[in-house]
Amino acid sequence: MADEHSFDVVSRVDMQEVTNAVQQAMKEISQRFDFKGSKSNIELDRNKSEIILTSDDEYKLTNVRKYSRENW
């Protein structure tokens, strides 16, 4: 049966959608009371295709990770 049928799986990322998701996650983080004054951030490096999460402490970083996953 494999001789008769074949298919290719291609995965492409729409960078505009990723940018929108990062912006939405940052908006949600900036509106949270417990993040006021913190240095929590989500950065998108389009050249390296990387998303960089930073925060003041482990608790906040865990929540930044949570918000980023909810938007992606």
PDB file of all heavy atoms in Angstrom, residues 34-49:
ATOM      1  N   ASP A  34       0.522  41.889  39.567  1.00  0.00           N
ATOM      2  CA  ASP A  34       1.752  41.320  40.130  1.00  0.00           C
ATOM      3  C   ASP A  34       2.961  41.467  39.201  1.00  0.00           C
ATOM      4  O   ASP A  34       4.083  41.179  39.598  1.00  0.00           O
ATOM      5  CB  ASP A  34       1.555  39.863  40.536  1.00  0.00           C
ATOM      6  CG  ASP A  34       1.034  38.984  39.418  1.00  0.00           C
ATOM      7  OD1 ASP A  34       0.528  39.530  38.424  1.00  0.00           O
ATOM      8  OD2 ASP A  34       1.123  37.756  39.546  1.00  0.00           O
ATOM      9  N   PHE A  35       2.776  41.955  37.989  1.00  0.00           N
ATOM     10  CA  PHE A  35       3.894  42.196  37.074  1.00  0.00           C
ATOM     11  C   PHE A  35       4.254  43.679  36.969  1.00  0.00           C
ATOM     12  O   PHE A  35       5.203  44.028  36.272  1.00  0.00           O
ATOM     13  CB  PHE A  35       3.584  41.661  35.675  1.00  0.00           C
ATOM     14  CG  PHE A  35       3.808  40.190  35.534  1.00  0.00           C
ATOM     15  CD1 PHE A  35       2.791  39.286  35.821  1.00  0.00           C
ATOM     16  CD2 PHE A  35       5.031  39.690  35.143  1.00  0.00           C
ATOM     17  CE1 PHE A  35       2.986  37.933  35.698  1.00  0.00           C
ATOM     18  CE2 PHE A  35       5.245  38.332  35.013  1.00  0.00           C
ATOM     19  CZ  PHE A  35       4.215  37.451  35.302  1.00  0.00           C
ATOM     20  N   LYS A  36       3.500  44.545  37.645  1.00  0.00           N
ATOM     21  CA  LYS A  36       3.788  45.988  37.591  1.00  0.00           C
ATOM     22  C   LYS A  36       5.192  46.246  38.126  1.00  0.00           C
ATOM     23  O   LYS A  36       5.566  45.789  39.194  1.00  0.00           O
ATOM     24  CB  LYS A  36       2.773  46.783  38.419  1.00  0.00           C
ATOM     25  CG  LYS A  36       1.363  46.678  37.914  1.00  0.00           C
ATOM     26  CD  LYS A  36       1.188  47.429  36.625  1.00  0.00           C
ATOM     27  CE  LYS A  36      -0.273  47.344  36.189  1.00  0.00           C
ATOM     28  NZ  LYS A  36      -0.500  47.718  34.850  1.00  0.00           N
ATOM     29  N   GLY A  37       5.988  46.963  37.354  1.00  0.00           N
ATOM     30  CA  GLY A  37       7.353  47.297  37.751  1.00  0.00           C
ATOM     31  C   GLY A  37       8.369  46.188  37.551  1.00  0.00           C
ATOM     32  O   GLY A  37       9.539  46.372  37.845  1.00  0.00           O
ATOM     33  N   SER A  38       7.949  45.044  37.057  1.00  0.00           N
ATOM     34  CA  SER A  38       8.904  43.952  36.853  1.00  0.00           C
ATOM     35  C   SER A  38       9.564  44.094  35.484  1.00  0.00           C
ATOM     36  O   SER A  38       9.112  44.852  34.627  1.00  0.00           O
ATOM     37  CB  SER A  38       8.212  42.588  36.945  1.00  0.00           C
ATOM     38  OG  SER A  38       7.489  42.318  35.780  1.00  0.00           O
ATOM     39  N   LYS A  39      10.615  43.350  35.287  1.00  0.00           N
ATOM     40  CA  LYS A  39      11.341  43.386  34.014  1.00  0.00           C
ATOM     41  C   LYS A  39      11.012  42.163  33.169  1.00  0.00           C
ATOM     42  O   LYS A  39      11.854  41.657  32.453  1.00  0.00           O
ATOM     43  CB  LYS A  39      12.838  43.472  34.287  1.00  0.00           C
ATOM     44  CG  LYS A  39      13.227  44.760  34.977  1.00  0.00           C
ATOM     45  CD  LYS A  39      14.710  44.840  35.211  1.00  0.00           C
ATOM     46  CE  LYS A  39      15.029  46.127  35.946  1.00  0.00           C
ATOM     47  NZ  LYS A  39      16.429  46.261  36.253  1.00  0.00           N
ATOM     48  N   SER A  40       9.793  41.708  33.260  1.00  0.00           N
ATOM     49  CA  SER A  40       9.356  40.543  32.477  1.00  0.00           C
ATOM     50  C   SER A  40       9.155  40.963  31.032  1.00  0.00           C
ATOM     51  O   SER A  40       8.601  42.023  30.753  1.00  0.00           O
ATOM     52  CB  SER A  40       8.059  39.986  33.048  1.00  0.00           C
ATOM     53  OG  SER A  40       8.246  39.585  34.380  1.00  0.00           O
ATOM     54  N   ASN A  41       9.601  40.097  30.130  1.00  0.00           N
ATOM     55  CA  ASN A  41       9.536  40.446  28.719  1.00  0.00           C
ATOM     56  C   ASN A  41       9.519  39.194  27.850  1.00  0.00           C
ATOM     57  O   ASN A  41      10.057  38.158  28.225  1.00  0.00           O
ATOM     58  CB  ASN A  41      10.740  41.314  28.344  1.00  0.00           C
ATOM     59  CG  ASN A  41      10.558  42.006  27.018  1.00  0.00           C
ATOM     60  OD1 ASN A  41       9.449  42.192  26.537  1.00  0.00           O
ATOM     61  ND2 ASN A  41      11.650  42.390  26.403  1.00  0.00           N
ATOM     62  N   ILE A  42       8.904  39.317  26.696  1.00  0.00           N
ATOM     63  CA  ILE A  42       8.944  38.285  25.662  1.00  0.00           C
ATOM     64  C   ILE A  42       9.476  38.959  24.407  1.00  0.00           C
ATOM     65  O   ILE A  42       8.901  39.928  23.932  1.00  0.00           O
ATOM     66  CB  ILE A  42       7.548  37.695  25.388  1.00  0.00           C
ATOM     67  CG1 ILE A  42       6.936  37.125  26.652  1.00  0.00           C
ATOM     68  CG2 ILE A  42       7.638  36.621  24.306  1.00  0.00           C
ATOM     69  CD1 ILE A  42       5.502  36.683  26.481  1.00  0.00           C
ATOM     70  N   GLU A  43      10.595  38.457  23.904  1.00  0.00           N
ATOM     71  CA  GLU A  43      11.218  39.031  22.711  1.00  0.00           C
ATOM     72  C   GLU A  43      11.180  38.020  21.575  1.00  0.00           C
ATOM     73  O   GLU A  43      11.412  36.839  21.795  1.00  0.00           O
ATOM     74  CB  GLU A  43      12.672  39.403  22.980  1.00  0.00           C
ATOM     75  CG  GLU A  43      12.865  40.482  24.001  1.00  0.00           C
ATOM     76  CD  GLU A  43      14.339  40.731  24.261  1.00  0.00           C
ATOM     77  OE1 GLU A  43      15.078  40.937  23.281  1.00  0.00           O
ATOM     78  OE2 GLU A  43      14.722  40.694  25.429  1.00  0.00           O
ATOM     79  N   LEU A  44      10.927  38.507  20.403  1.00  0.00           N
ATOM     80  CA  LEU A  44      10.943  37.672  19.210  1.00  0.00           C
ATOM     81  C   LEU A  44      12.122  38.095  18.345  1.00  0.00           C
ATOM     82  O   LEU A  44      12.208  39.241  17.914  1.00  0.00           O
ATOM     83  CB  LEU A  44       9.634  37.826  18.428  1.00  0.00           C
ATOM     84  CG  LEU A  44       9.552  37.137  17.077  1.00  0.00           C
ATOM     85  CD1 LEU A  44       9.686  35.629  17.235  1.00  0.00           C
ATOM     86  CD2 LEU A  44       8.257  37.490  16.382  1.00  0.00           C
ATOM     87  N   ASP A  45      13.058  37.175  18.131  1.00  0.00           N
ATOM     88  CA  ASP A  45      14.202  37.423  17.255  1.00  0.00           C
ATOM     89  C   ASP A  45      13.905  36.727  15.927  1.00  0.00           C
ATOM     90  O   ASP A  45      14.056  35.518  15.795  1.00  0.00           O
ATOM     91  CB  ASP A  45      15.486  36.883  17.875  1.00  0.00           C
ATOM     92  CG  ASP A  45      16.722  37.250  17.082  1.00  0.00           C
ATOM     93  OD1 ASP A  45      16.595  37.614  15.888  1.00  0.00           O
ATOM     94  OD2 ASP A  45      17.824  37.187  17.653  1.00  0.00           O
ATOM     95  N   ARG A  46      13.442  37.510  14.965  1.00  0.00           N
ATOM     96  CA  ARG A  46      13.056  36.934  13.666  1.00  0.00           C
ATOM     97  C   ARG A  46      14.252  36.346  12.917  1.00  0.00           C
ATOM     98  O   ARG A  46      14.099  35.356  12.201  1.00  0.00           O
ATOM     99  CB  ARG A  46      12.404  38.004  12.796  1.00  0.00           C
ATOM    100  CG  ARG A  46      11.023  38.368  13.254  1.00  0.00           C
ATOM    101  CD  ARG A  46      10.467  39.494  12.381  1.00  0.00           C
ATOM    102  NE  ARG A  46       9.071  39.705  12.637  1.00  0.00           N
ATOM    103  CZ  ARG A  46       8.096  39.282  11.840  1.00  0.00           C
ATOM    104  NH1 ARG A  46       8.372  38.657  10.737  1.00  0.00           N
ATOM    105  NH2 ARG A  46       6.841  39.504  12.157  1.00  0.00           N
ATOM    106  N   ASN A  47      15.422  36.937  13.068  1.00  0.00           N
ATOM    107  CA  ASN A  47      16.601  36.451  12.339  1.00  0.00           C
ATOM    108  C   ASN A  47      17.009  35.054  12.791  1.00  0.00           C
ATOM    109  O   ASN A  47      17.393  34.220  11.979  1.00  0.00           O
ATOM    110  CB  ASN A  47      17.773  37.421  12.507  1.00  0.00           C
ATOM    111  CG  ASN A  47      17.480  38.772  11.893  1.00  0.00           C
ATOM    112  OD1 ASN A  47      16.743  38.879  10.917  1.00  0.00           O
ATOM    113  ND2 ASN A  47      18.036  39.818  12.474  1.00  0.00           N
ATOM    114  N   LYS A  48      16.942  34.797  14.095  1.00  0.00           N
ATOM    115  CA  LYS A  48      17.327  33.498  14.633  1.00  0.00           C
ATOM    116  C   LYS A  48      16.131  32.570  14.827  1.00  0.00           C
ATOM    117  O   LYS A  48      16.297  31.422  15.228  1.00  0.00           O
ATOM    118  CB  LYS A  48      18.027  33.674  15.981  1.00  0.00           C
ATOM    119  CG  LYS A  48      19.352  34.386  15.906  1.00  0.00           C
ATOM    120  CD  LYS A  48      19.965  34.475  17.278  1.00  0.00           C
ATOM    121  CE  LYS A  48      21.276  35.207  17.269  1.00  0.00           C
ATOM    122  NZ  LYS A  48      21.848  35.313  18.620  1.00  0.00           N
ATOM    123  N   SER A  49      14.929  33.092  14.586  1.00  0.00           N
ATOM    124  CA  SER A  49      13.691  32.342  14.829  1.00  0.00           C
ATOM    125  C   SER A  49      13.629  31.854  16.276  1.00  0.00           C
ATOM    126  O   SER A  49      13.367  30.680  16.545  1.00  0.00           O
ATOM    127  CB  SER A  49      13.560  31.164  13.860  1.00  0.00           C
ATOM    128  OG  SER A  49      13.505  31.633  12.542  1.00  0.00           O
TER     129      SER A  49
END
